[in-house]
Amino acid sequence: MTRPRTCAAGREAIQVHLGLANYQANLARMGSGEDDLADRGSDALVDAVVAQGDAATTADQLRTQLEAGASRLVVNAVPSADRLPVLTELAPALGIAAR
């Protein structure tokens, strides 16, 4: 998937969260401003919360969030219709054994 398509898919995937007060509060604590949360989320917000790229790049982005203090990460593969192959490829890059 090209970066513009990945960004668009990621932006779509986070829409439900951007409407929830608890997510808005968490994003604000992480440094996102009102402009970041407006109009379907800023490009900077999408880049901050949507890991993109091949499995190694995505795993690096997820590890960066953990190293920055995240206690948990929820990983949703986008597009959602192809989740299993995406997650199966990502698992070894994160040191997780696929079952």
Side-chain angles (χ1 to χ4, degrees):
M1 210 183 247
T2 64
R3 179 148 171 84
R5 286 184 59 209
T6 303
C7 289
R11 185 180 311 282
E12 187 63 34
I14 66 172
Q15 290 313 297
V16 67
H17 304 293
L18 293 182
L20 301 173
N22 61 321
Y23 278 88
Q24 292 172 359
N26 286 338
L27 292 167
R29 268 195 301 278
M30 293 174 14
S32 295
E34 288 182 27
D35 290 344
D36 290 312
L37 301 174
D39 299 322
R40 300 179 44 83
S42 69
D43 290 346
L45 178 69
V46 173
D47 285 342
V49 301
V50 178
Q52 304 171 55
D54 62 17
T57 302
T58 299
D60 287 345
Q61 292 169 353
L62 295 172
R63 277 192 287 278
T64 297
Q65 290 186 16
L66 291 168
E67 291 165 1
S71 59
R72 295 180 185 98
L73 297 176
V74 175
V75 179
N76 292 306
V78 177
S80 60
D82 296 328
R83 285 183 187 174
L84 188 57
V86 172
L87 295 174
T88 300
E89 183 178 348
L90 180 59
L94 289 170
I96 300 169
R99 297 181 193 190

